[in-house]
Amino acid sequence: MAVTPAENVARGGAGARDGAAPCRVVVCRDCCCGSPKVTGVDHAAQTARLRAEVPTRISECLDVCDQANVIVVQPSAEGRAAGGRPVWLGLVNDADATEDIVTWVHAGGPGVAPRPDILDLYAFTPPGRRTS
């Protein structure tokens, strides 16, 4: 049974520590991401799965169409305080990758939990961003 983001926090999931802002995801859904241009993906199911498990915001084009579908994992307040920064994940076009993201966010996400090795395959630095 799916758990809403609020229930997840109430149960001690991602972002529940000391009532701080939780780890969140941003899902690109515009010209390429979430469209028939990326074939073989149930975009609605992917978005619904993320929304059922973690605080999720839908964005218009993030301007990295060559990486569609793009998901950005934003650190929680705790993760940011520990040095975590947003992690951009591209080519997230299968249910297993979506589950890996959910699992990582539940573990605490950037700055709190190490990024699973499998997600290294999806991580990229968008143009115009510094790596530090």
Side-chain angles (χ1 to χ4, degrees), residues 46-131:
Q46 181 184 55
T47 302
R49 177 70 180 131
L50 290 166
R51 281 188 159 160
E53 293 292 330
V54 301
T56 302
R57 183 173 63 88
I58 305 301
S59 174
E60 291 185 4
C61 188
L62 294 173
D63 203 26
V64 284
C65 297
D66 61 323
Q67 296 289 324
N69 286 326
V70 175
I71 295 175
V72 182
V73 181
Q74 298 177 324
S76 63
E78 177 185 2
R80 190 164 291 282
R85 296 295 172 251
V87 174
W88 289 63
L89 303 169
L91 305 173
V92 183
N93 297 322
D94 63 71
D96 289 340
T98 303
E99 289 305 314
D100 292 332
I101 293 167
V102 167
T103 299
W104 183 38
V105 170
H106 278 269
V112 175
R115 183 171 62 218
D117 291 342
I118 192 70
L119 291 181
D120 288 344
L121 299 172
Y122 300 92
F124 72 98
T125 302
R129 306 249 194 249
R130 290 186 310 144
T131 57

Side-chain angles (χ1 to χ4, degrees), residues 10-66:
R11 291 180 181 181
R17 299 173 225 356
D18 302 322
C23 188
R24 300 175 184 276
V25 298
V26 176
V27 180
C28 185
R29 288 292 183 259
D30 197 29
C31 62
C32 293
C33 297
S35 78
K37 290 181 183 178
V38 180
T39 61
V41 180
D42 187 340
H43 303 289
Q46 181 184 55
T47 302
R49 177 70 180 131
L50 290 166
R51 281 188 159 160
E53 293 292 330
V54 301
T56 302
R57 183 173 63 88
I58 305 301
S59 174
E60 291 185 4
C61 188
L62 294 173
D63 203 26
V64 284
C65 297
D66 61 323

